[in-house]
Amino acid sequence: MTTEPTPRIVRLSAPQYLKAMKPGENAAAALLLAFTLIAILWANSPWSQTYWALLDTHVGVALGERHFDMTVKHLINDGLMTFFFFIVGLEVTREFKIGELTDRSRAAVPVVAAFAGLAVPAVIFLLLNPSGENVQAWGVVISTDTAFLVGALAIIKPKFPGRLRIFLLTLAVVDDVGALIVIAVFYSDALQVVPLIVSAVLLVVIALVRFLPAARGPAYAVLGFALWIALYLAGIHPTLAGVALALLIPVFAPERRQVEDAVDVIRAFRQSPNSQYARTATRRLRQSISINERLQTDVGPYVSFLVLPLFALVNAGVRLDSASLNAAVRSPLTWGIVAGLVLGKFVGITGATWFMSRTGLGQLAPGLRLRRVAGGAALSGIGFTISLFIVDIAISEPARQDQARIGVIAASLIAFVAGWAIFHITDLVSPPEPIGMKLIRPIDPERDHIKGNPNAQLTLVEYGDYECPFCGRATGGIDEVGAYFGDELCYVWRHLPLERVHPRSFDAARAAEAAGLQGKYFEMGAQLFAHQDDLEWSDIYRYANAIGLDLEQFDQDVRVHPSKVLHRVQDDAQDAEAMDLNSTPTFFVNGKRHKGPWDSASLIRALEEGRS
């Protein structure tokens, strides 16, 4: 094989990725909330005139007789928010190409639920506002604020949130796509032909930037700014320049050859430090990661901690005096937004999830239940960033804008309380088991890798790691246990790759799953255990050849279409995280966690006790 599969050492597994992202997301949500409260308090304080004066302050540049200016509010909404939509576009592109949405069967449920969560709120809003000047505001209710959604989930802290969080983030990606399409199609001005043609030409040029030998970053920046101007003149909302640019920026998973080249230069720099090696090492490191991922890392924090708080500051200010509140209470616009976001999101997402699962058209990830989705669906009624964004471009009258903003804020508060209530009530009605003491996902003969009798009453489930020497030793003991009980025992292996201490364990797990697609899962496992010090991909391909695998098919499964094996490994790892497993091997005897030694005699005694 001339091309090696994507190395796992440079990519976090799902549980690690979620843990790594939580602190930043929670802090960003907290800052967004803080600036929202500042805007509301400022707009209703004795100094409220300074707030409105700030929004109407003009900022611009002059070149000779030419002058271009915008108000502070429009500069943020039309200018800085381009970076927000740029990051959204980068995330969407990544998810569809190398992320959660690469596995179409896994993505089916959250994708359909997201579309239902877009359509049902709009229908409910239009039922309450079937005609008149409020109709144009139907787009306000379609979008969920991802930052607030993640922050709310962290505050409520439902049991076992990992799978739900992935489901909601996948749903949020599709939700963002739908919102962007709505803005582009329904909230753009009359189109101007010449600037539109210029925009199309710029898109072609941007698509070709990837072929430049150098200076691609500056080229994207200059052409992106030119595209923003062209779309602004064409009558299309200029923030969509960020989306268009993001969709044309390449994304790829790191390749081992590039990573190893960077390591070689770093090794040379360590032996002989000099500026030439330093520049080369920096360049090689950057080239090993796609520009999509680099931009998310470089630009994302500025969007989360600067752009979005400023957006909240200039858009969340709403008059909450008695006149405004009375008008909002009597306004079908306000109630349409509240009903659309709170009821529409809940009914649309929960109903679509139930339908997809019940009909078999899709399936929830193992361990995820409809009651958990219902709580997440309620929280999805927290509409803020894009909701307020559309309020500003769909409604021109200040009084009705205030009514709409009150509706968005009220709906977000109600959605948070509803989500909290659903999570806590369902936990009271059906209390979750103590973490880690009981197997949370039952054995599934269609899904699990089994030795012995799938219908046996005695069951032994091992969570292990192919690079763990203790797992390798336990495997010999497992053979003795299996020989002792014969057809009375069902043994299952599940993955718990501890990448911090065993950097090749995730690759080994993927290789085993790929071998399993050809019916030789345990044969590959035996090879991996026998060669735990040699688990590079070049070694793994030798083991695949030794057990008679079709190498071309094996290569396709681990490299070209990795989602076939990747999600199986991630599923097991997420189960382990939910049960708070942090060491290998970990055994479950007849569904209960085994404590104590895992030698064959101890496991036989534990199974015998279960039989009696």
Side-chain angles (χ1 to χ4, degrees), residues 534-546:
D534 300 299
L535 295 180
E536 295 294 329
W537 278 109
S538 57
D539 301 314
I540 290 173
Y541 275 99
R542 287 194 292 105
Y543 310 149
N545 185 58

mmCIF file with all atom_site columns, all heavy atoms in Angstrom, residues 534-546:
data_model
loop_
_atom_site.group_PDB
_atom_site.id
_atom_site.type_symbol
_atom_site.label_atom_id
_atom_site.label_alt_id
_atom_site.label_comp_id
_atom_site.label_asym_id
_atom_site.label_entity_id
_atom_site.label_seq_id
_atom_site.pdbx_PDB_ins_code
_atom_site.Cartn_x
_atom_site.Cartn_y
_atom_site.Cartn_z
_atom_site.occupancy
_atom_site.B_iso_or_equiv
_atom_site.pdbx_formal_charge
_atom_site.auth_seq_id
_atom_site.auth_comp_id
_atom_site.auth_asym_id
_atom_site.auth_atom_id
_atom_site.pdbx_PDB_model_num
ATOM 1   N N   . ASP A 1 534 ? 4.621  -3.025  18.035 1.00 0.00 ? 534 ASP A N   1
ATOM 2   C CA  . ASP A 1 534 ? 4.748  -2.714  16.604 1.00 0.00 ? 534 ASP A CA  1
ATOM 3   C C   . ASP A 1 534 ? 3.352  -2.508  16.018 1.00 0.00 ? 534 ASP A C   1
ATOM 4   O O   . ASP A 1 534 ? 2.794  -3.399  15.363 1.00 0.00 ? 534 ASP A O   1
ATOM 5   C CB  . ASP A 1 534 ? 5.460  -3.853  15.863 1.00 0.00 ? 534 ASP A CB  1
ATOM 6   C CG  . ASP A 1 534 ? 6.865  -4.088  16.402 1.00 0.00 ? 534 ASP A CG  1
ATOM 7   O OD1 . ASP A 1 534 ? 7.683  -3.159  16.322 1.00 0.00 ? 534 ASP A OD1 1
ATOM 8   O OD2 . ASP A 1 534 ? 7.125  -5.202  16.908 1.00 0.00 ? 534 ASP A OD2 1
ATOM 9   N N   . LEU A 1 535 ? 2.793  -1.326  16.269 1.00 0.00 ? 535 LEU A N   1
ATOM 10  C CA  . LEU A 1 535 ? 1.433  -1.034  15.810 1.00 0.00 ? 535 LEU A CA  1
ATOM 11  C C   . LEU A 1 535 ? 1.388  0.163   14.867 1.00 0.00 ? 535 LEU A C   1
ATOM 12  O O   . LEU A 1 535 ? 0.402  0.885   14.814 1.00 0.00 ? 535 LEU A O   1
ATOM 13  C CB  . LEU A 1 535 ? 0.510  -0.786  17.022 1.00 0.00 ? 535 LEU A CB  1
ATOM 14  C CG  . LEU A 1 535 ? 0.280  -1.990  17.946 1.00 0.00 ? 535 LEU A CG  1
ATOM 15  C CD1 . LEU A 1 535 ? -0.640 -1.613  19.092 1.00 0.00 ? 535 LEU A CD1 1
ATOM 16  C CD2 . LEU A 1 535 ? -0.306 -3.173  17.159 1.00 0.00 ? 535 LEU A CD2 1
ATOM 17  N N   . GLU A 1 536 ? 2.481  0.396   14.129 1.00 0.00 ? 536 GLU A N   1
ATOM 18  C CA  . GLU A 1 536 ? 2.429  1.388   13.057 1.00 0.00 ? 536 GLU A CA  1
ATOM 19  C C   . GLU A 1 536 ? 1.587  0.804   11.924 1.00 0.00 ? 536 GLU A C   1
ATOM 20  O O   . GLU A 1 536 ? 1.405  -0.414  11.822 1.00 0.00 ? 536 GLU A O   1
ATOM 21  C CB  . GLU A 1 536 ? 3.838  1.714   12.555 1.00 0.00 ? 536 GLU A CB  1
ATOM 22  C CG  . GLU A 1 536 ? 4.729  2.388   13.581 1.00 0.00 ? 536 GLU A CG  1
ATOM 23  C CD  . GLU A 1 536 ? 4.240  3.772   13.957 1.00 0.00 ? 536 GLU A CD  1
ATOM 24  O OE1 . GLU A 1 536 ? 3.631  4.441   13.087 1.00 0.00 ? 536 GLU A OE1 1
ATOM 25  O OE2 . GLU A 1 536 ? 4.453  4.197   15.109 1.00 0.00 ? 536 GLU A OE2 1
ATOM 26  N N   . TRP A 1 537 ? 1.100  1.691   11.046 1.00 0.00 ? 537 TRP A N   1
ATOM 27  C CA  . TRP A 1 537 ? 0.218  1.196   9.982  1.00 0.00 ? 537 TRP A CA  1
ATOM 28  C C   . TRP A 1 537 ? 0.939  0.236   9.043  1.00 0.00 ? 537 TRP A C   1
ATOM 29  O O   . TRP A 1 537 ? 0.334  -0.712  8.528  1.00 0.00 ? 537 TRP A O   1
ATOM 30  C CB  . TRP A 1 537 ? -0.382 2.363   9.209  1.00 0.00 ? 537 TRP A CB  1
ATOM 31  C CG  . TRP A 1 537 ? -1.574 2.939   9.899  1.00 0.00 ? 537 TRP A CG  1
ATOM 32  C CD1 . TRP A 1 537 ? -1.660 4.143   10.526 1.00 0.00 ? 537 TRP A CD1 1
ATOM 33  C CD2 . TRP A 1 537 ? -2.862 2.330   10.053 1.00 0.00 ? 537 TRP A CD2 1
ATOM 34  N NE1 . TRP A 1 537 ? -2.903 4.319   11.075 1.00 0.00 ? 537 TRP A NE1 1
ATOM 35  C CE2 . TRP A 1 537 ? -3.664 3.233   10.794 1.00 0.00 ? 537 TRP A CE2 1
ATOM 36  C CE3 . TRP A 1 537 ? -3.409 1.117   9.660  1.00 0.00 ? 537 TRP A CE3 1
ATOM 37  C CZ2 . TRP A 1 537 ? -4.987 2.948   11.126 1.00 0.00 ? 537 TRP A CZ2 1
ATOM 38  C CZ3 . TRP A 1 537 ? -4.721 0.827   9.986  1.00 0.00 ? 537 TRP A CZ3 1
ATOM 39  C CH2 . TRP A 1 537 ? -5.493 1.735   10.711 1.00 0.00 ? 537 TRP A CH2 1
ATOM 40  N N   . SER A 1 538 ? 2.226  0.442   8.834  1.00 0.00 ? 538 SER A N   1
ATOM 41  C CA  . SER A 1 538 ? 2.962  -0.492  7.978  1.00 0.00 ? 538 SER A CA  1
ATOM 42  C C   . SER A 1 538 ? 2.952  -1.892  8.601  1.00 0.00 ? 538 SER A C   1
ATOM 43  O O   . SER A 1 538 ? 2.847  -2.901  7.888  1.00 0.00 ? 538 SER A O   1
ATOM 44  C CB  . SER A 1 538 ? 4.393  0.002   7.784  1.00 0.00 ? 538 SER A CB  1
ATOM 45  O OG  . SER A 1 538 ? 5.039  0.176   9.047  1.00 0.00 ? 538 SER A OG  1
ATOM 46  N N   . ASP A 1 539 ? 3.045  -1.947  9.938  1.00 0.00 ? 539 ASP A N   1
ATOM 47  C CA  . ASP A 1 539 ? 2.969  -3.241  10.632 1.00 0.00 ? 539 ASP A CA  1
ATOM 48  C C   . ASP A 1 539 ? 1.560  -3.823  10.544 1.00 0.00 ? 539 ASP A C   1
ATOM 49  O O   . ASP A 1 539 ? 1.378  -5.022  10.299 1.00 0.00 ? 539 ASP A O   1
ATOM 50  C CB  . ASP A 1 539 ? 3.357  -3.070  12.101 1.00 0.00 ? 539 ASP A CB  1
ATOM 51  C CG  . ASP A 1 539 ? 4.747  -2.516  12.284 1.00 0.00 ? 539 ASP A CG  1
ATOM 52  O OD1 . ASP A 1 539 ? 5.666  -3.001  11.611 1.00 0.00 ? 539 ASP A OD1 1
ATOM 53  O OD2 . ASP A 1 539 ? 4.898  -1.572  13.090 1.00 0.00 ? 539 ASP A OD2 1
ATOM 54  N N   . ILE A 1 540 ? 0.561  -2.965  10.753 1.00 0.00 ? 540 ILE A N   1
ATOM 55  C CA  . ILE A 1 540 ? -0.829 -3.437  10.760 1.00 0.00 ? 540 ILE A CA  1
ATOM 56  C C   . ILE A 1 540 ? -1.211 -4.031  9.417  1.00 0.00 ? 540 ILE A C   1
ATOM 57  O O   . ILE A 1 540 ? -1.911 -5.057  9.343  1.00 0.00 ? 540 ILE A O   1
ATOM 58  C CB  . ILE A 1 540 ? -1.771 -2.284  11.156 1.00 0.00 ? 540 ILE A CB  1
ATOM 59  C CG1 . ILE A 1 540 ? -1.584 -1.940  12.639 1.00 0.00 ? 540 ILE A CG1 1
ATOM 60  C CG2 . ILE A 1 540 ? -3.218 -2.638  10.865 1.00 0.00 ? 540 ILE A CG2 1
ATOM 61  C CD1 . ILE A 1 540 ? -2.343 -0.723  13.096 1.00 0.00 ? 540 ILE A CD1 1
ATOM 62  N N   . TYR A 1 541 ? -0.705 -3.436  8.311  1.00 0.00 ? 541 TYR A N   1
ATOM 63  C CA  . TYR A 1 541 ? -1.011 -4.009  6.995  1.00 0.00 ? 541 TYR A CA  1
ATOM 64  C C   . TYR A 1 541 ? -0.374 -5.396  6.846  1.00 0.00 ? 541 TYR A C   1
ATOM 65  O O   . TYR A 1 541 ? -0.936 -6.276  6.191  1.00 0.00 ? 541 TYR A O   1
ATOM 66  C CB  . TYR A 1 541 ? -0.523 -3.067  5.887  1.00 0.00 ? 541 TYR A CB  1
ATOM 67  C CG  . TYR A 1 541 ? -1.521 -1.981  5.548  1.00 0.00 ? 541 TYR A CG  1
ATOM 68  C CD1 . TYR A 1 541 ? -1.383 -0.702  6.064  1.00 0.00 ? 541 TYR A CD1 1
ATOM 69  C CD2 . TYR A 1 541 ? -2.601 -2.250  4.727  1.00 0.00 ? 541 TYR A CD2 1
ATOM 70  C CE1 . TYR A 1 541 ? -2.301 0.296   5.758  1.00 0.00 ? 541 TYR A CE1 1
ATOM 71  C CE2 . TYR A 1 541 ? -3.528 -1.266  4.411  1.00 0.00 ? 541 TYR A CE2 1
ATOM 72  C CZ  . TYR A 1 541 ? -3.373 0.008   4.940  1.00 0.00 ? 541 TYR A CZ  1
ATOM 73  O OH  . TYR A 1 541 ? -4.289 0.983   4.638  1.00 0.00 ? 541 TYR A OH  1
ATOM 74  N N   . ARG A 1 542 ? 0.785  -5.594  7.455  1.00 0.00 ? 542 ARG A N   1
ATOM 75  C CA  . ARG A 1 542 ? 1.401  -6.929  7.409  1.00 0.00 ? 542 ARG A CA  1
ATOM 76  C C   . ARG A 1 542 ? 0.539  -7.937  8.147  1.00 0.00 ? 542 ARG A C   1
ATOM 77  O O   . ARG A 1 542 ? 0.358  -9.073  7.683  1.00 0.00 ? 542 ARG A O   1
ATOM 78  C CB  . ARG A 1 542 ? 2.804  -6.884  8.018  1.00 0.00 ? 542 ARG A CB  1
ATOM 79  C CG  . ARG A 1 542 ? 3.841  -6.200  7.141  1.00 0.00 ? 542 ARG A CG  1
ATOM 80  C CD  . ARG A 1 542 ? 5.275  -6.468  7.623  1.00 0.00 ? 542 ARG A CD  1
ATOM 81  N NE  . ARG A 1 542 ? 5.566  -5.830  8.908  1.00 0.00 ? 542 ARG A NE  1
ATOM 82  C CZ  . ARG A 1 542 ? 5.650  -6.461  10.055 1.00 0.00 ? 542 ARG A CZ  1
ATOM 83  N NH1 . ARG A 1 542 ? 5.432  -7.775  10.113 1.00 0.00 ? 542 ARG A NH1 1
ATOM 84  N NH2 . ARG A 1 542 ? 5.937  -5.813  11.170 1.00 0.00 ? 542 ARG A NH2 1
ATOM 85  N N   . TYR A 1 543 ? -0.005 -7.539  9.290  1.00 0.00 ? 543 TYR A N   1
ATOM 86  C CA  . TYR A 1 543 ? -0.860 -8.447  10.049 1.00 0.00 ? 543 TYR A CA  1
ATOM 87  C C   . TYR A 1 543 ? -2.138 -8.749  9.262  1.00 0.00 ? 543 TYR A C   1
ATOM 88  O O   . TYR A 1 543 ? -2.636 -9.886  9.278  1.00 0.00 ? 543 TYR A O   1
ATOM 89  C CB  . TYR A 1 543 ? -1.227 -7.852  11.403 1.00 0.00 ? 543 TYR A CB  1
ATOM 90  C CG  . TYR A 1 543 ? -0.048 -7.336  12.195 1.00 0.00 ? 543 TYR A CG  1
ATOM 91  C CD1 . TYR A 1 543 ? -0.183 -6.254  13.070 1.00 0.00 ? 543 TYR A CD1 1
ATOM 92  C CD2 . TYR A 1 543 ? 1.205  -7.928  12.069 1.00 0.00 ? 543 TYR A CD2 1
ATOM 93  C CE1 . TYR A 1 543 ? 0.898  -5.775  13.790 1.00 0.00 ? 543 TYR A CE1 1
ATOM 94  C CE2 . TYR A 1 543 ? 2.296  -7.452  12.786 1.00 0.00 ? 543 TYR A CE2 1
ATOM 95  C CZ  . TYR A 1 543 ? 2.143  -6.368  13.638 1.00 0.00 ? 543 TYR A CZ  1
ATOM 96  O OH  . TYR A 1 543 ? 3.208  -5.891  14.344 1.00 0.00 ? 543 TYR A OH  1
ATOM 97  N N   . ALA A 1 544 ? -2.667 -7.730  8.577  1.00 0.00 ? 544 ALA A N   1
ATOM 98  C CA  . ALA A 1 544 ? -3.871 -7.940  7.762  1.00 0.00 ? 544 ALA A CA  1
ATOM 99  C C   . ALA A 1 544 ? -3.590 -8.955  6.655  1.00 0.00 ? 544 ALA A C   1
ATOM 100 O O   . ALA A 1 544 ? -4.421 -9.826  6.358  1.00 0.00 ? 544 ALA A O   1
ATOM 101 C CB  . ALA A 1 544 ? -4.340 -6.609  7.176  1.00 0.00 ? 544 ALA A CB  1
ATOM 102 N N   . ASN A 1 545 ? -2.415 -8.846  6.062  1.00 0.00 ? 545 ASN A N   1
ATOM 103 C CA  . ASN A 1 545 ? -2.044 -9.789  5.006  1.00 0.00 ? 545 ASN A CA  1
ATOM 104 C C   . ASN A 1 545 ? -1.844 -11.188 5.576  1.00 0.00 ? 545 ASN A C   1
ATOM 105 O O   . ASN A 1 545 ? -2.225 -12.191 4.966  1.00 0.00 ? 545 ASN A O   1
ATOM 106 C CB  . ASN A 1 545 ? -0.767 -9.298  4.320  1.00 0.00 ? 545 ASN A CB  1
ATOM 107 C CG  . ASN A 1 545 ? -0.382 -10.163 3.133  1.00 0.00 ? 545 ASN A CG  1
ATOM 108 O OD1 . ASN A 1 545 ? -1.150 -10.327 2.188  1.00 0.00 ? 545 ASN A OD1 1
ATOM 109 N ND2 . ASN A 1 545 ? 0.827  -10.724 3.181  1.00 0.00 ? 545 ASN A ND2 1
ATOM 110 N N   . ALA A 1 546 ? -1.278 -11.253 6.792  1.00 0.00 ? 546 ALA A N   1
ATOM 111 C CA  . ALA A 1 546 ? -0.990 -12.551 7.403  1.00 0.00 ? 546 ALA A CA  1
ATOM 112 C C   . ALA A 1 546 ? -2.259 -13.343 7.703  1.00 0.00 ? 546 ALA A C   1
ATOM 113 O O   . ALA A 1 546 ? -2.251 -14.584 7.645  1.00 0.00 ? 546 ALA A O   1
ATOM 114 C CB  . ALA A 1 546 ? -0.186 -12.348 8.689  1.00 0.00 ? 546 ALA A CB  1
#
